[in-house]
């Protein structure tokens, strides 16, 4: 029997429709014999939406395992209260290698704001060449990028030309990740440099994993704001996700998103209004500000 593919996602209830759409895109483009063990870190997804996600995909291909967010992050860990509007669920990927079974030698993490158009088995079988993980170089290219990157790279002793990756797609060596204590090192790095943090834990991951990652073909994490004839994976990086009424992504990619969504339990989904999106963003940011104030007490 072939080995399984181990995939992890993290989401709150708000983005549940995107979870189903992502899994459907994987299913429709899958060409391999492995089953896919999906570990969803659940930050408040309702029971109804969990059932809708499961009903959206083939049960013979996907084996879905639910893990409440509170059971994933150790109680002693103080998550960094960075000032971005990114949801706190982004930090959950750091601890994903701890929730898979012992036989899982590697683990693929994907952000939920994605579509997979290539055969995910091809990504899964990437040679890690002894590195901790594989990822795609971010459009900012290097740590010295002014609008992203690592703002205090000089103080951290990083060469300005050090490559900088986007953390939306991570193929991890589970054993190395655990043994090197990557998750806790990233959290410590961020708490120690909080005023310089951009893009949440992507900052800490690039500092801790400097020059310890394999560079993937950029088509495995193609930004939706940039046109491309044949990407393997589309990442809807804009703050205006496809589920919102206004979205700045390439129209072709948006059309593809709704083509896959219509094959899920959300086939009659109506885009969320700009007003609702704004209030949700304010809520997320307010939650982080509250955490930041509590951390200083």
């Amino acid at each position: 029997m072939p080995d399984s593919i181990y995939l992890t996602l993290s989401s709150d209830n708000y983005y549940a429709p995107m979870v189903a759409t992502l899994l459907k895109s994987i299913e429709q483009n899958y060409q391999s014999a492995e089953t896919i063990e999906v570990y969803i870190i659940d930050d408040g997804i309702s029971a109804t939406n969990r059932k809708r996600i499961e009903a959206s995909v083939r049960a013979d291909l996907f084996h879905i395992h639910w893990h409440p967010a509170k059971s994933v992050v150790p109680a002693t860990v103080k998550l960094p209260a960075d000032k971005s509007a990114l949801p706190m669920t982004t930090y959950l990927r750091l601890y994903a290698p701890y929730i898979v079974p012992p036989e899982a030698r590697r683990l693929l993490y994907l952000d939920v704001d994605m579509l997979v158009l290539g055969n995910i088995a091809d990504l899964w079988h990437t040679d890690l060449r002894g590195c901790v993980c594989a990822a795609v170089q971010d459009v900012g290219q290097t740590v010295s990028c002014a609008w992203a990157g690592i703002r205090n790279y000089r103080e951290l002793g990083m060469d300005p030309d050090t490559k900088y990756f986007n953390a939306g797609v991570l193929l991890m060596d589970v054993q190395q990740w655990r043994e090197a204590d990557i998750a806790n090192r990233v959290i410590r790095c961020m708490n120690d440099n909080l005023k310089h943090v951009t893009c949440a834990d992507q900052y800490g991951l690039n500092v801790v994993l400097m020059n310890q990652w394999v560079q993937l073909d950029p088509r495995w994490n193609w930004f939706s704001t940039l046109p491309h004839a044949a990407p393997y994976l589309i990442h809807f990086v804009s703050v205006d996700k496809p589920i919102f009424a206004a979205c700045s992504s390439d129209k072709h990619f948006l059309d593809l998103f709704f083509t896959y969504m219509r094959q899920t339990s959300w086939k009659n989904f109506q885009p969320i209004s700009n007003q609702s999106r704004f209030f949700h963003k304010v809520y997320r940011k307010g939650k982080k500000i509250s955490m930041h104030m509590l951390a200083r007490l």
Side-chain angles (χ1 to χ4, degrees):
M1 292 292 290
D3 292 335
S4 296
I5 289 175
Y6 293 90
L7 169 67
T8 186
L9 316 170
S10 62
S11 179
D12 58 18
N13 198 52
Y14 202 71
Y15 291 106
M18 298 195 78
V19 174
T21 305
L22 168 59
L23 292 177
K24 179 55 70 174
S25 72
I26 293 172
E27 174 190 297
Q28 293 296 301
N29 296 290
Y30 190 61
Q31 301 175 45
S32 192
E34 298 104 330
T35 56
I36 304 177
E37 302 293 330
V38 185
Y39 292 79
I40 300 180
I41 304 176
D42 166 14
D43 191 21
I45 300 176
S46 69
T48 297
N49 281 344
R50 289 199 298 270
K51 290 178 182 178
R52 291 179 75 181
I53 289 170
E54 291 173 347
S56 295
V57 295
R58 285 169 41 198
D60 63 322
L61 174 59
F62 293 100
H63 300 156
I64 298 179
H65 311 267
W66 298 95
H67 287 264
K70 290 182 179 179
S71 71
V72 174
V73 180
T76 55
V77 172
K78 184 180 75 172
L79 292 178
D82 71 279
K83 296 179 181 179
S84 74
L86 292 169
M88 294 303 293
T89 51
T90 187
Y91 293 109
L92 299 176
R93 61 184 157 202
L94 298 175
Y95 294 92
Y98 295 92
I99 66 173
V100 293
E103 61 268 24
R105 293 167 293 179
R106 54 175 56 190
L107 174 64
L108 176 62
Y109 166 83
L110 298 178
D111 280 349
V112 299
D113 57 346
M114 294 181 165
L115 289 178
V116 174
L117 305 181
N119 178 15
I120 203 171
D122 294 339
L123 173 58
W124 174 253
H125 290 292
T126 297
D127 184 357
L128 291 178
R129 305 201 293 272
C131 291
V132 178
C133 71
V136 169
Q137 189 173 11
D138 194 81
V139 292
Q141 297 292 308
T142 65
V143 298
S144 56
C145 172
W147 51 269
I150 308 297
R151 291 178 177 174
N152 60 330
Y153 71 90
R154 290 188 182 89
E155 292 90 329
L156 294 172
M158 304 176 79
D159 187 290
D161 295 324
T162 301
K163 291 182 179 179
Y164 175 85
F165 63 84
N166 181 276
V169 175
L170 290 174
L171 180 62
M172 313 170 186
D173 181 306
V174 170
Q175 183 176 353
Q176 285 199 68
W177 192 280
R178 292 171 177 168
E179 290 179 351
D181 197 24
I182 299 299
N184 291 321
R185 287 170 60 195
V186 168
I187 295 297
R188 285 196 298 270
C189 171
M190 294 183 65
N191 282 322
D192 290 344
N193 299 277
L194 199 55
K195 66 180 181 180
H196 302 291
V197 170
T198 58
C199 302
D201 59 323
Q202 185 166 289
Y203 169 96
L205 283 164
N206 272 277
V207 174
V208 172
L209 294 173
M210 178 179 61
N211 299 325
Q212 297 180 65
W213 55 284
V214 171
Q215 187 172 343
L216 295 169
D217 185 318
R219 288 176 291 179
W220 278 116
N221 192 351
W222 192 261
F223 284 12
S224 62
T225 51
L226 305 171
H228 194 289
Y232 301 146
L233 183 150
I234 301 167
H235 189 176
F236 293 95
V237 291
S238 168
V239 293
D240 298 320
K241 305 301 181 188
I243 58 173
F244 302 132
C247 184
S248 57
S249 297
D250 181 275
K251 185 180 183 302
H252 173 62
F253 295 156
L254 281 174
D255 290 343
L256 280 174
F257 178 85
F258 286 105
T259 295
Y260 287 110
M261 178 177 262
R262 284 192 291 270
Q263 299 174 60
T264 75
S265 298
W266 278 270
K267 61 183 178 181
N268 296 318
F269 179 83
Q270 294 298 314
I272 298 167
S273 70
N274 291 337
Q275 184 180 34
S276 178
R277 179 194 67 82
F278 173 76
F279 283 120
H280 184 69
K281 181 178 179 179
V282 170
Y283 166 77
R284 289 202 313 263
K285 201 150 189 177
K287 185 177 179 181
K288 284 191 175 182
I289 291 171
S290 297
M291 288 180 60
H292 184 66
M293 292 175 67
L294 287 171
R296 295 178 63 181
L297 296 177

